Amino acid sequence: MTATTGRRLLLVHAHPDDESINNGATMARYAAEGAHVTLVTCTLGEGGEVIPPELAHLTADRDGTLGAYRIGELTEAMAALGVTDVRFLGGPGRYRDSGMMGVPDNDAPDCFWRADVDEAAGRLVAVVREVRPQVLVTYDEQGGYGHPDHIQAHRVATRAHELAADPAYRPELGPAWRIAKVYWNRVPRSVLERALAETAEKAPFPGVAEPADVPGVVDDELVTTALDGGAHAGRKAAAMAAHATQITVDPTGAFFALSNHLGQPLLATEYYQLVHGQAGPRLPEDDLFAGLDAGPDTAPADAPAATSEERVR
Ligand SMILES: [Zn+2]
């Protein structure tokens, strides 16, 4: 999709599939509206489990080809969402999946959890200064649910947000750029509780997830932004289904399960907490770009970008 609005959205995620679960409707909506949507995924998710028995041979303890396979799944998912700018931090396979907290993979020297935050952030700064997004979406400091790669994705994205705006930091990566708004992925507790009750009633899975199984759940009042992706729910479901090693989507597209086979609601409205930048005029916001005048070269009022561009060059 060619960008036509001057709006540029950057999402930073840990593994292929996280983007579709958390932001699939958001990405499809902004891509359809002509925004430039950039996804940076930090690992190939090669440590994941595999749901379909016929693909079980891909896992790290057998063929060890899951990472390469998941690149294909991500490609298919992004085609479903209409997103064309997809990158792996440092290139595919630069950072290995660290596995869940406490497993031996956490200690592998090439895993993302062991990566130097500043070094990894430098790679992301290069993307930020090239793309110049007005909006960044990532996880909270717990990574939403405590997975080491999600925590590290938060740290790297947060550090890159700071460094990209500093004209003194590595000018060879491009002119400084201050991202106007930073959001964390959220799910309001009341929304989740209602949706889980419906899941228990209707979803065709052997069990139902607990609120603790769902990343980013917070008290409703912390949520600043509700992005109605209802028109793109089918695209989100298709993108999630493309991650077939990781996700089972029910035939209605209203529910899904991960490898634990516990049903979860497939939310077409996606929720966010604004953690940096000015909120739009009305809360809750219904647009991540609310309050920004996102012309092609628009920088936010507090940004040094235009002047630093001259200084740096
Ligand atoms: Zn993940």
Side-chain angles (χ1 to χ4, degrees), residues 13-18 22 70 139 145 147 149-150:
H13 277 291
H15 311 108
D17 81 352
D18 293 316
N22 285 283
R70 291 184 72 175
Y139 314 111
Y145 73 115
H147 190 299
D149 291 329
H150 288 238

Side-chain angles (χ1 to χ4, degrees), residues 39-63:
L39 170 66
V40 174
T41 301
C42 298
T43 79
L44 300 181
E46 52 275 80
E49 296 179 41
V50 169
I51 297 173
E54 66 277 16
L55 296 174
H57 62 91
L58 298 170
T59 53
D61 55 342
R62 293 178 63 187
D63 295 357

Side-chain angles (χ1 to χ4, degrees), residues 3 14 16 43 48 61 109 124 141 192 269:
T43 79
D61 55 342
L124 189 56
E141 61 271 74
L192 180 68
T269 298

Side-chain angles (χ1 to χ4, degrees), residues 155-236:
R155 291 175 179 168
V156 168
T158 302
R159 187 72 177 128
H161 171 240
E162 294 168 9
L163 292 174
D166 178 358
Y169 177 76
R170 294 184 62 186
E172 76 278 12
L173 297 179
W177 181 257
R178 184 176 298 279
I179 302 169
K181 297 174 88 176
V182 180
Y183 290 93
W184 292 344
N185 294 303
R186 290 302 191 199
V187 180
R189 199 177 308 282
S190 73
V191 169
L192 180 68
E193 284 170 355
R194 276 197 305 277
L196 284 174
E198 194 192 352
T199 306
E201 208 176 296
K202 298 182 183 164
F205 297 107
V208 179
E210 298 285 327
D213 297 325
V214 177
V217 179
V218 288
D219 293 341
D220 294 13
E221 53 267 28
L222 287 178
V223 174
T224 57
T225 311
L227 215 290
D228 179 1
H232 304 280
R235 284 169 168 259
K236 176 173 182 174

Side-chain angles (χ1 to χ4, degrees), residues 228-308:
D228 179 1
H232 304 280
R235 284 169 168 259
K236 176 173 182 174
M240 288 175 63
H243 292 289
T245 61
Q246 307 301 308
I247 303 173
T248 309
V249 177
D250 95 301
T252 68
F255 308 101
F256 72 98
L258 302 174
S259 61
N260 59 14
H261 304 293
L262 299 175
Q264 295 191 34
L266 197 159
L267 299 173
T269 298
E270 293 167 342
Y271 299 89
Y272 300 91
Q273 179 182 1
L274 179 70
V275 293
H276 283 285
Q278 278 292 318
R282 280 184 312 281
L283 286 179
E285 298 177 315
D286 59 5
D287 177 3
L288 299 175
F289 294 85
L292 297 177
D293 175 19
D297 292 304
T298 302
D302 65 339
T307 48
S308 68

